[in-house]
């Protein structure tokens, strides 16, 4: 397993991270707490030392599971959590978004509760969870800086979502000096706004890192969702329109060449190649796939050491993406959620629409 620095914070993260939304919730299948703890332990044994959780995942359950899993191994782990959603005073309705609360008093209480559940007195990375750009006031930034100064937080991030990403928020994370990382959906099939943030970081000379989530495009690029797959109603991926999956399967066939690298340095699976494509961007510090079992952990953690993409392969992928993989049908997902009425998307020149919700 290789490691990269998060921004210029001095915090090193494993190139493959453990996205802990998979434990503490049933959005990716049911498992007992014992099974969940075992998954985290298996990931640590495989060299996956960056663990990315959030207080809202299972309303604290994920953090408690992570706390148990890293008991006695805290020094091995680069631990990250997220705060900002008020699940304490609001019921969860399916996969719907909860109200957010980012005032000083609430954030302080939420952070202290997270530390208790994780059974630690500090986190390596603290992220604001889907915060709107106008919610991250100077008061909030001062509070985060205080926690960083007193050692309870080593690095700061801004996690974007819950759709493809909130553009203005990511740009602010790159601009504000307090933040070391911006986390967003980023994969071969969903390249915006992640690609935009990479370009912005390069153009501005910022030290901000990108943490890439959903690297397998909700099951397409690891081929866990195929034309024969029936998604249960509770499965988090069932919100995707069927057109999205149908066009996605065609795209997968168009990139089969990634399974046969054009050099003699070894082999790689499609799932590994999808991670390698992300890691070809120096700005990407860690990729957090959704591990479901031990087989996933063994295969995807090895992606840090399989052959990198060649320049020719990378350019071929760029060309395919620019041509929409030669598919002329609508996939039903040509929107980006935004907190500023789409003005940020238009200003960035993205060929996307702002979501109406």
């Amino acid at each position: 397993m290789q490691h990269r620095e998060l921004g210029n914070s001095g915090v090193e993260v494993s190139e493959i991270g453990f996205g802990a939304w998979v434990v503490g919730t049933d959005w990716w299948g049911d498992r007992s707490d014992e099974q969940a703890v075992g998954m985290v332990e298996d990931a640590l044994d495989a060299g996956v030392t960056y663990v990315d959780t959030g207080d809202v995942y299972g309303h604290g359950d994920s953090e408690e599971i992570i706390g148990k899993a890293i008991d006695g191994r805290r020094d091995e782990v680069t631990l990250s959590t997220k705060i900002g959603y008020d699940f304490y005073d609001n019921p969860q309705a399916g996969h719907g978004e909860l109200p957010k609360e980012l005032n000083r008093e609430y954030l302080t209480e939420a952070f202290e509760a997270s530390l208790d559940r994780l059974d630690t007195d500090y986190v390596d990375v603290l992220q604001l969870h889907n915060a709107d750009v106008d919610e991250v006031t100077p008061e909030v930034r001062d509070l985060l800086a205080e926690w960083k100064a007193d050692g309870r937080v080593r690095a700061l991030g801004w996690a974007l979502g819950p759709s493809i990403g909130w553009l203005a928020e990511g740009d602010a994370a790159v601009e504000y000096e307090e933040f070391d990382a911006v986390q967003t959906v980023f994969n071969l099939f969903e390249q915006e706004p992640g690609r935009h943030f990479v370009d912005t970081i390069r153009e501005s000379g910022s030290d901000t890192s990108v943490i890439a989530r959903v690297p397998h495009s909700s099951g397409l690029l690891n081929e866990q969702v195929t034309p024969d797959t029936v998604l249960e109603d509770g499965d988090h991926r069932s919100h995707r329109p069927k057109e999205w999956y149908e066009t996605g399967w065609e795209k997968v066939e168009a990139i089969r060449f990634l399974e046969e690298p054009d050099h003699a340095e070894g082999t790689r699976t499609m799932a590994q190649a999808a991670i390698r494509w992300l890691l070809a961007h120096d700005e990407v510090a860690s990729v957090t796939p959704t591990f479901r079992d031990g087989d996933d952990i063994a295969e995807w953690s090895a992606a840090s050491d399989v052959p990198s993409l060649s320049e020719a392969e990378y350019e071929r992928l760029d060309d395919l993406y620019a041509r929409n993989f030669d598919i002329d049908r609508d996939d039903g997902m040509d929107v980006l959620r935004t907190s500023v009425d789409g003005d940020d998307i238009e200003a960035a020149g993205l060929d996307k629409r702002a979501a109406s919700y």
Side-chain angles (χ1 to χ4, degrees):
M1 178 67 67
Q2 306 301 312
H3 295 77
R4 300 186 181 190
E5 183 179 7
L6 203 64
N8 63 357
S9 65
V11 174
E12 287 200 342
V13 294
S14 53
E15 287 187 339
I16 318 301
F18 188 97
W21 46 83
V22 73
V23 298
T25 74
D26 60 0
W27 292 9
W28 297 88
D30 289 323
R31 55 184 54 80
S32 68
D33 285 0
E34 291 75 18
Q35 290 172 321
V37 168
M39 279 183 60
V40 180
E41 292 173 339
D42 288 346
L44 294 177
D45 291 342
V48 179
T49 56
Y50 175 60
V51 177
D52 189 310
T53 188
D55 65 355
V56 76
Y57 301 148
H59 293 192
D61 289 349
S62 177
E63 289 181 325
E64 289 187 355
I65 288 168
I66 296 303
K68 293 175 184 176
I70 67 174
D71 184 31
R73 305 181 69 171
R74 178 67 182 89
D75 291 344
E76 299 176 38
V77 178
T78 303
L79 180 61
S80 175
T81 196
K82 310 177 191 73
I83 57 175
Y85 278 119
D86 182 7
F87 60 89
Y88 298 98
D89 301 310
N90 299 279
Q92 182 79 50
H95 296 162
E97 187 178 16
L98 289 166
K100 286 171 293 198
E101 192 68 68
L102 276 91
N103 64 67
R104 186 183 185 95
E105 180 181 3
Y106 176 81
L107 289 176
T108 299
E109 292 176 355
F111 181 42
E112 291 174 352
S114 287
L115 292 176
D116 286 343
R117 286 189 290 264
L118 291 164
D119 194 22
T120 186
D121 56 4
Y122 76 99
V123 294
D124 298 282
V125 189
L126 180 66
Q127 300 177 68
L128 294 181
H129 206 169
N130 297 344
D132 291 357
V133 69
D134 58 1
E135 294 173 328
V136 185
T137 63
E139 179 185 43
V140 169
R141 292 161 61 189
D142 287 346
L143 177 63
L144 298 176
E146 288 174 20
W147 291 338
K148 201 171 181 179
D150 68 21
R152 289 196 291 171
V153 175
R154 297 180 61 207
L156 293 167
W158 196 330
L160 311 180
S163 193
I164 293 178
W166 288 9
L167 190 62
E169 284 68 19
D171 283 349
V174 174
E175 177 185 351
Y176 296 159
E177 61 181 15
E178 292 90 351
F179 293 95
D180 303 288
V182 56
Q183 180 173 166
T184 187
V185 171
F186 193 15
N187 59 65
L188 265 167
F189 296 163
E190 299 165 281
Q191 295 189 24
E192 299 294 355
R195 192 167 178 165
H196 168 82
F197 298 142
V198 167
D199 290 342
T200 300
I201 290 167
R202 291 175 181 175
E203 292 166 4
S204 66
S206 170
D207 293 315
T208 311
S209 291
V210 173
I211 299 171
R213 65 183 182 91
V214 198
H216 293 135
S217 199
S218 298
L220 290 173
L221 287 161
N222 54 24
E223 299 187 87
Q224 289 182 348
V225 179
T226 71
D228 298 324
T229 303
V230 178
L231 295 172
E232 301 295 332
D233 290 342
D235 192 301
H236 184 55
R237 295 164 293 184
S238 63
H239 72 287
R240 301 277 188 176
K242 67 177 183 178
E243 294 86 358
W244 188 83
Y245 281 111
E246 289 169 351
T247 56
W249 295 323
E250 293 183 43
K251 294 174 184 178
V252 169
E253 294 305 318
I255 60 174
R256 286 288 177 198
F257 63 89
L258 292 176
E259 296 172 313
E260 299 176 1
D262 61 1
H263 40 71
E265 296 179 16
T267 61
R268 60 188 174 218
T269 65
M270 181 67 73
Q272 291 171 334
I275 293 173
R276 288 305 320 176
W277 177 81
L278 285 163
L279 292 173
H281 304 82
D282 292 339
E283 295 77 13
V284 173
S286 187
V287 179
T288 56
T290 303
F291 299 115
R292 300 186 308 168
D293 54 35
D295 290 341
D296 289 347
I297 291 169
E299 178 185 346
W300 303 345
S301 64
S304 184
D305 298 310
V306 301
S308 301
L309 269 64
S310 68
E311 184 176 346
E313 288 170 327
Y314 194 87
E315 290 177 354
R316 186 174 175 184
L317 288 169
D318 271 354
D319 185 54
L320 281 168
Y321 182 77
R323 305 195 321 257
N324 194 34
F325 301 86
D326 295 322
I327 297 171
D328 60 3
R329 303 191 318 281
D330 184 8
D331 65 6
M333 291 291 289
D334 194 25
V335 294
L336 293 177
R337 188 167 180 177
T338 174
S339 62
V340 288
D341 300 323
D343 292 342
D344 53 345
I345 295 173
E346 183 177 353
L350 297 179
D351 184 21
K352 299 284 182 178
R353 302 189 306 273
S356 59
Y357 51 91

